[in-house]
Amino acid sequence: MAAAAAGETPVDDGAPPPGVLYSFGTPWPEFNQGLSYSDTFRCADADATTTLIEFYSTNYQSSAPLPGWIKRIRNGQITVDGEVVTNPDMTLRHGSKLVYHRLPWKEPSAPYLLEVLYEDDDMVALNKPSGLQVLPKGLFQQRTVSAQLQLKDWKMTTSCCSKRKDVQSHPVPVHRLGRGTSGLLLCAKTKVAKVRLASYFAEGAINARNKRDNSEFGEERKISKFYRALVTGILDNDEVVITQPIGLVHYPGVAEGLYAACSSGKPAMSKVCVLERLAHQNHTLVQVEIHSGRPHQIRIHLACIGHPLVDDPLYGIGGHPKFEPESTGTDSSFAYDGGYERPLQPVPGDCGYHLHAHWLVIFHPTTNKVIKYLSHLGQCSTGNEFTEYALLLPII
């Protein structure tokens, strides 16, 4: 295991939790750097004309209402073929290069420190805190795990750099955890590790599609992922296998749609085991092994069987959003940059639910040795009483 490098925070004898090699992170600036979105205008009808405002208000109405796009254009935030255009009624020419420059904004509060639980020349395992998004999306374009991985100086050994031509400039996540989910996150340091680890996760989805439930960790199972969750109500059965498909449904404020229980969705499989029934709180502590990795799968599956995660702001009984789409919407006013204000109803990135990526077993991407990620009791940064810190131990 790698030692803490200069500029990193080692864990000394008196600092909890056990199993953490070191932590790293750069405090977030107040504002991010903004974003640029590029388009090439294609005219389907040679006799038709399209204005700048028509192009943006028609193609990107989920980003801003008509008055918002007019404001952005007049504010000089859009260039056409490299020139700033402030006239919304400018007629576009076929092949014109359009760029919308989104102004820098203050992203919602998010933690920035990450704990390293395991590290070698091929991969690194992190303990992700609740409240930190893994990849850029929506309001979070800078305050992400991905950004912290890029900001850190990853010192590779000279021998490693000379022998490994596929070493990346920084590790990249090979799977995702929800913003409100804490726990183990695997990242690949090399292109080979990235491809192989990603294939392990993909195999789980294939097994779910074929409804295989391989209890033994063998040739077909290159990775097994286990979570801990605190759910509402008392589960009657000690074990439950859930195979509810998950797909996209219309939901206001989420342009691409919301993942939910859906008969026409993609196959998904979760195996739930009861760990403790907390009758006095009407809660149940469960372990969940997922055989696929659909977005928000555990939240949806547990809600689907009538036991949503405690304090989940979005998913209710049945695996559907608690709020009916017809009764909710998006604030019709727009923000300083012309875009819509925050949706009035809960969205997938909202936190509060109790879910922790607890441990996993995996074949090492290059040595093929089995590595088991175990946990010791402790308290995670989410404050959830049931979560645990992880310690990685190679199995010989």
Side-chain angles (χ1 to χ4, degrees):
M1 294 185 183
E8 297 161 355
T9 304
V11 178
D12 58 41
D13 293 339
V20 177
L21 300 181
Y22 63 89
S23 61
F24 70 93
T26 301
W28 307 117
E30 184 177 4
F31 290 88
N32 61 26
Q33 297 177 339
L35 285 174
S36 294
Y37 303 86
S38 300
D39 285 284
T40 299
F41 174 67
R42 305 293 183 189
C43 185
D45 186 351
D47 296 328
T49 60
T50 301
T51 63
L52 186 61
I53 186 60
E54 287 173 340
F55 174 84
Y56 278 104
S57 62
T58 300
N59 291 289
Y60 298 103
Q61 55 184 327
S62 63
S63 172
L66 177 64
W69 278 114
I70 292 176
K71 178 180 179 179
R72 289 171 173 178
I73 295 171
R74 289 179 174 166
N75 197 38
Q77 292 176 242
I78 295 176
T79 60
V80 179
D81 295 326
E83 299 292 332
V84 175
V85 175
T86 57
N87 179 12
D89 297 318
M90 173 193 176
T91 300
L92 297 176
R93 296 176 299 178
H94 180 78
S96 291
K97 306 295 183 182
L98 313 178
V99 180
Y100 158 54
H101 302 273
R102 185 176 178 182
L103 299 175
W105 70 94
K106 186 175 182 180
E107 300 183 12
S109 177
Y112 66 88
L113 284 176
L114 291 163
E115 294 170 339
V116 174
L117 306 175
Y118 175 86
E119 184 177 3
D120 60 26
D121 291 339
D122 297 286
M123 62 182 184
V124 58
L126 306 174
N127 182 42
K128 186 191 85 69
S130 174
L132 181 60
Q133 192 155 295
V134 175
L135 299 176
K137 188 175 183 181
L139 290 176
F140 294 93
Q141 294 295 323
Q142 185 176 53
R143 299 184 179 190
T144 64
V145 172
S146 178
Q148 289 294 348
L149 291 172
Q150 294 177 51
L151 289 170
K152 183 183 181 310
D153 181 17
W154 295 91
K155 294 178 174 61
M156 302 293 289
T157 62
T158 303
S159 59
C160 176
C161 292
S162 61
K163 294 178 182 179
R164 304 289 294 277
K165 302 300 183 183
D166 66 336
V167 174
Q168 303 173 131
S169 59
H170 59 84
V172 294
V174 294
H175 65 111
R176 301 188 189 189
L177 295 177
R179 178 173 166 249
T181 305
S182 60
L184 283 165
L185 179 69
L186 280 182
C187 304
K189 284 186 169 183
T190 67
K191 295 176 183 177
V192 169
K194 177 183 177 182
V195 170
R196 290 180 181 171
L197 289 171
S199 71
Y200 295 172
F201 286 95
E203 286 173 6
I206 294 173
N207 287 338
R209 182 182 65 200
N210 297 329
K211 294 189 177 181
R212 299 177 191 161
D213 182 17
N214 303 310
S215 58
E216 296 298 324
F217 188 69
E219 187 64 29
E220 287 188 295
R221 297 280 303 280
K222 294 289 188 179
I223 186 169
S224 293
K225 300 169 288 181
F226 300 86
Y227 294 71
R228 285 200 173 181
L230 192 65
V231 303
T232 58
I234 305 299
L235 270 73
D236 295 327
N237 299 324
D238 291 339
E239 292 189 2
V240 181
V241 176
I242 309 169
T243 57
Q244 168 66 48
I246 294 174
L248 288 170
V249 298
H250 172 71
Y251 190 73
V254 184
E256 66 273 22
L258 176 73
Y259 284 97
C262 179
S263 59
S264 60
K266 293 183 178 180
M269 182 186 294
S270 302
K271 184 176 181 180
V272 181
C273 297
V274 171
L275 297 177
E276 186 177 358
R277 293 180 174 90
L278 308 171
H280 60 293
Q281 296 176 328
N282 195 33
H283 295 162
T284 305
L285 176 63
V286 298
Q287 174 178 280
V288 185
E289 180 185 5
I290 59 173
H291 294 245
S292 53
R294 306 302 178 198
H296 315 298
Q297 176 175 322
I298 294 175
R299 299 169 66 186
I300 294 169
H301 270 181
L302 287 167
C304 183
I305 63 171
H307 297 279
L309 269 62
V310 172
D311 296 330
D312 191 328
L314 179 59
Y315 292 104
I317 292 176
H320 302 286
K322 294 179 179 179
F323 297 82
E324 291 296 329
E326 291 77 12
S327 64
T328 59
T330 304
D331 191 338
S332 59
S333 63
F334 52 90
Y336 76 99
D337 70 337
Y340 287 109
E341 294 284 6
R342 189 191 187 286
L344 299 176
Q345 68 282 350
V347 293
D350 290 345
C351 302
Y353 55 89
H354 297 242
L355 182 60
H356 182 70
H358 185 219
W359 65 286
L360 59 81
V361 183
I362 187 171
F363 276 93
H364 192 280
T366 59
T367 67
N368 214 36
K369 289 184 178 180
V370 178
I371 295 181
K372 187 175 184 179
Y373 300 66
L374 299 174
S375 296
H376 288 280
L377 288 172
Q379 189 149 339
C380 179
S381 56
T382 61
N384 296 344
E385 57 187 341
F386 67 94
T387 59
E388 299 183 357
Y389 280 100
L391 173 66
L392 286 76
L393 299 174
I395 299 178
I396 306 300

